[in-house]
């Protein structure tokens, strides 16, 4: 009796794995046990490098263990290090950087192999032409879709830059570029290797295929302070000057006392300023042959943004966005109008027909100032819109019925000023904290923005369709975000549409084929 009961209990234990629940439960226990042993095994063999094409542990069925990274190719765990003081440092940031670099190289390889890309499914030149002949598309829609098709087929070509100082071209890095109204000149801010910034103007009239050659004109002006904002200014004629803002600088003066210890003796502060730099100071930068003008500087501390007015009711005036204040300054008389705000003003643009100045704030608010109102007068706020994050760029469309804005959360919205409602949102832009510009080109019907991930994205202005994603020619880095300029006439009125991209020491042209 006892023997049979013992055999039944033994057979009962063996019969448990036949139940599906017990089978699954048993396999999970064995799997978890193996997962707990693998980190101990990997702790003494961290000299083996993990593969870079793998994903995160959370994307697979392998459990995510704190402090360890699972490589699905090698099928083992690697220890994540808190710093870079190990012979084989492995951190979450380095893993993410390697994955981004692998993705960038794949996209660059695809762009080199595919001569022509398709922006929309079932959309090509033959179908577009056929629909136009059958009367399914009007002239406006045909031109817009043709531009979209040509944007998706743009090819990257490197531009040869000629200068009187070739050694500087190899060391100076592009910080920002800004094309003028006619797109025949490009103002550049370059970071110098020894520290500081210098300015130049690139003449784009030589930007013609197949030999893409341009000339860089420089001047002797040099600054060791950060350039916060830049815009073209039309004082004597169209785009006769460049308006730029220099940040404040604080120098701490220290000396050795009698006990050989450093002591703080004083603080020297250089206030921020807005400077009007004549373009004629750059030799042969303008075909008109203007006489060298004079540099004009205005002491404006703590400015974040600037804009030049082409409105006749604010002639020869520029605005600066400060901390909780907006200043509108007349260059001729020096008179200033001050408008108090509740937040820092990071973006500005004047309307051309209406006497309005649009401002984007760190708080996410967008408001318009009626320039006919005097300082601190009532009713000077004409329009108020709101984003969820700090607004970095504000662009007014030609009919001045809509405004487009981007913020530090990567959101790009098109607002209707008549109803104060968002009518369109453009997905895909990446931004976390950077002050990134936004480029709107209504003639081609496209929107261009460079994200903090160093990808240049082009959308359709009409329906927010993402048309093109262009990776950076150089490895992704938050210090090497490309600066771009798009125009329908690169190099002047006889030029072809295209995109200019400046990154590190190189300048690239994506022209229509």
């Amino acid at each position: 009796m006892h023997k049979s009961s013992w055999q039944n209990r033994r057979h009962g234990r063996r019969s448990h794995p036949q139940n599906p629940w017990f089978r699954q439960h048993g396999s999970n226990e064995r799997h978890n046990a193996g997962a707990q042993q693998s980190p101990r095994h990997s702790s003494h063999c961290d000299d083996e490098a993990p593969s870079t094409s793998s994903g995160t542990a959370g994307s697979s069925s392998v459990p995510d263990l704190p402090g360890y990274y699972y490589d699905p190719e090698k099928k083992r765990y690697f220890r994540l290090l808190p710093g870079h003081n190990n012979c084989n440092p492995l951190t979450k940031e380095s893993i993410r950087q390697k994955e981004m670099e692998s993705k960038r190289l794949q996209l660059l390889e695809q762009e080199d192999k595919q001569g022509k890309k398709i922006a929309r499914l079932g959309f090509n030149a033959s179908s577009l032409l056929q629909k136009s002949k059958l009367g399914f598309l009007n002239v406006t829609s045909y031109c817009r879709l043709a531009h979209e098709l040509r944007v998706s087929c743009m090819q990257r070509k490197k531009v040869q830059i000629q200068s009187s100082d070739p050694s500087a071209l190899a060391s100076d890095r592009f910080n920002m570029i800004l094309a003028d109204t006619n797109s025949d000149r490009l103002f550049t801010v370059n970071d110098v290797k020894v520290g500081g910034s210098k300015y130049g103007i690139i003449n784009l009239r030589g930007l013609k295929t197949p030999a893409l050659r341009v000339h860089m004109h420089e001047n002797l002006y040099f600054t060791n302070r950060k350039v916060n904002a830049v815009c073209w200014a039309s004082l004597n004629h169209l785009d006769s000057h460049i308006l730029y803002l220099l940040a404040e600088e604080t120098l701490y003066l220290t000396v050795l006392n009698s006990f050989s210890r450093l002591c703080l003796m004083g603080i020297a502060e250089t206030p921020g300023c807005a400077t009007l730099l004549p373009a004629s100071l750059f030799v042969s930068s303008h075909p008109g042959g203007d006489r060298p003008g004079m540099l004009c500087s205005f002491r404006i501390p703590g400015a974040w943004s600037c804009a030049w007015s082409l409105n006749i009711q604010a002639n020869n005036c520029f605005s600066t966005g400060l901390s909780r204040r907006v200043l509108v300054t007349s260059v001729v008389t020096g008179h200033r109008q001050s408008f108090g705000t509740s937040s820092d003003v990071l973006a500005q643009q004047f309307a051309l027909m209406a006497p309005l100045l649009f401002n984007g704030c760190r708080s996410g608010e967008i408001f318009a100032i009626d320039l006919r109102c005097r300082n601190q007068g009532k009713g000077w706020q004409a329009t108020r819109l709101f984003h969820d994050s700090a607004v970095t760029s504000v662009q007014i469309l030609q009919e001045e019925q809509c405004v487009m804005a981007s913020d530090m959360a990567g959101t790009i919205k098109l607002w209707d000023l008549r109803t104060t409602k968002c009518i369109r949102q453009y997905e895909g832009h990446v931004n976390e904290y950077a002050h990134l510009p936004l480029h709107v080109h209504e003639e081609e019907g496209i929107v261009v923005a460079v994200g903090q991930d160093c990808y240049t994205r082009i959308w359709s202005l009409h329906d927010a369709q993402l048309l093109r994603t262009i990776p950076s020619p150089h490895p992704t880095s938050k210090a090497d975000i490309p600066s771009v300029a798009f125009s329908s006439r690169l190099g002047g009125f006889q030029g072809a549409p295209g995109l200019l991209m400046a990154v590190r020491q190189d300048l690239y042209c994506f022209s229509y084929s």
Side-chain angles (χ1 to χ4, degrees), residues 14-307:
R14 289 180 180 176
S15 63
H16 282 172
Q18 304 300 323
N19 191 324
W21 185 87
F22 283 105
R23 189 184 303 116
Q24 182 181 3
H25 186 67
S27 62
N28 289 339
E29 288 181 349
R30 289 192 298 271
H31 185 72
N32 291 336
Q36 293 175 0
Q37 292 175 2
S38 55
R40 291 195 296 269
H41 174 70
S42 66
S43 61
H44 59 80
C45 56
D46 282 329
D47 54 343
E48 182 182 359
S51 64
T52 60
S53 61
S54 58
T56 59
S59 61
S60 62
S61 60
V62 181
D64 188 9
L65 299 181
Y68 289 88
Y69 162 74
Y70 183 79
D71 193 328
E73 283 190 4
K74 296 184 179 295
K75 297 182 179 180
R76 55 159 290 190
Y77 285 84
F78 289 89
R79 183 163 55 95
L80 290 173
L81 303 178
H84 296 275
N85 54 353
N86 192 278
C87 60
N88 182 27
L90 185 63
T91 62
K92 290 184 177 180
E93 183 65 26
S94 65
I95 294 171
R96 181 173 175 268
Q97 190 72 20
K98 290 178 180 179
E99 290 176 352
M100 291 177 62
E101 179 63 15
S102 177
K103 178 183 176 183
R104 185 189 70 87
L105 293 176
Q106 290 178 2
L107 288 177
L108 282 177
E109 185 178 358
Q110 292 176 5
E111 286 211 340
D112 293 338
K113 289 182 179 180
Q114 298 176 358
K116 294 185 178 180
K117 306 167 187 64
I118 302 227
R120 303 175 187 267
L121 294 177
F123 177 65
N124 52 42
S126 59
S127 63
L128 181 63
L129 185 60
Q130 185 177 6
K131 290 180 181 180
S132 176
K133 290 182 178 180
L134 294 175
F136 294 142
L137 293 175
N138 56 26
V139 177
T140 304
S141 300
Y142 175 79
C143 293
R144 176 177 56 83
L145 293 174
H147 276 298
E148 291 184 6
L149 183 62
R150 300 182 74 177
V151 162
S152 62
C153 300
M154 293 189 305
Q155 295 292 315
R156 182 184 73 254
K157 296 180 181 179
K158 191 173 181 179
V159 180
Q160 298 181 11
I161 306 176
Q162 299 175 347
S163 175
S164 57
D165 187 6
S167 61
L169 294 177
S171 59
D172 299 345
R173 303 162 68 95
F174 283 104
N175 186 316
M176 65 177 71
I177 59 175
L178 185 66
D180 63 357
T181 305
N182 296 328
S183 300
D184 57 359
R185 292 175 298 170
L186 198 69
F187 180 74
T188 66
V189 179
N190 297 74
D191 293 334
V192 184
K193 188 176 181 179
V194 296
S197 300
K198 68 177 184 180
Y199 317 116
I201 286 184
I202 295 178
N203 190 343
L204 298 179
R205 293 189 177 274
L207 195 65
K208 297 179 181 180
T209 56
L212 298 176
R213 293 190 182 93
V214 295
H215 192 83
M216 167 81 81
H217 302 278
E218 300 174 346
N219 64 12
L220 300 178
Y221 286 97
F222 175 85
T223 178
N224 57 355
R225 290 188 284 170
K226 179 183 176 182
V227 180
N228 282 344
V230 173
C231 69
W232 285 91
S234 303
L235 186 59
N236 300 334
H237 52 78
L238 183 63
D239 298 334
S240 61
H241 290 67
I242 301 101
L243 174 67
Y244 61 90
L245 299 180
L246 294 179
E248 296 181 357
E249 184 183 33
T250 303
L251 297 177
Y252 297 92
L253 306 179
T254 57
V255 295
L256 285 172
N257 59 10
S258 57
F259 298 100
S260 298
R261 294 180 180 178
L262 287 174
C263 295
L264 181 64
M265 296 298 294
I267 299 177
E269 293 187 356
T270 304
C273 64
T275 303
L276 276 171
L277 181 65
S280 56
L281 292 179
F282 299 86
V283 180
S284 302
S285 65
H286 195 276
D290 294 342
R291 294 180 180 178
M294 295 192 60
L295 185 143
C296 183
S297 184
F298 300 84
R299 180 174 176 177
I300 301 178
W304 295 97
S305 58
C306 65

Side-chain angles (χ1 to χ4, degrees), residues 340-352:
T341 64
S342 59
S343 180
D344 300 339
V345 180
L346 304 182
Q348 293 182 308
Q349 189 181 15
F350 283 94
L352 185 59

Side-chain angles (χ1 to χ4, degrees), residues 201 369 488:
I201 286 184
I369 295 177
S488 59

Side-chain angles (χ1 to χ4, degrees), residues 359-381:
N359 305 268
C361 298
R362 190 184 298 275
S363 62
E365 180 184 6
I366 302 172
F367 64 91
I369 295 177
D370 192 337
L371 300 175
R372 295 169 294 186
C373 299
R374 295 303 175 185
N375 300 16
Q376 305 295 339
K378 294 182 179 181
W380 54 265
Q381 282 194 352

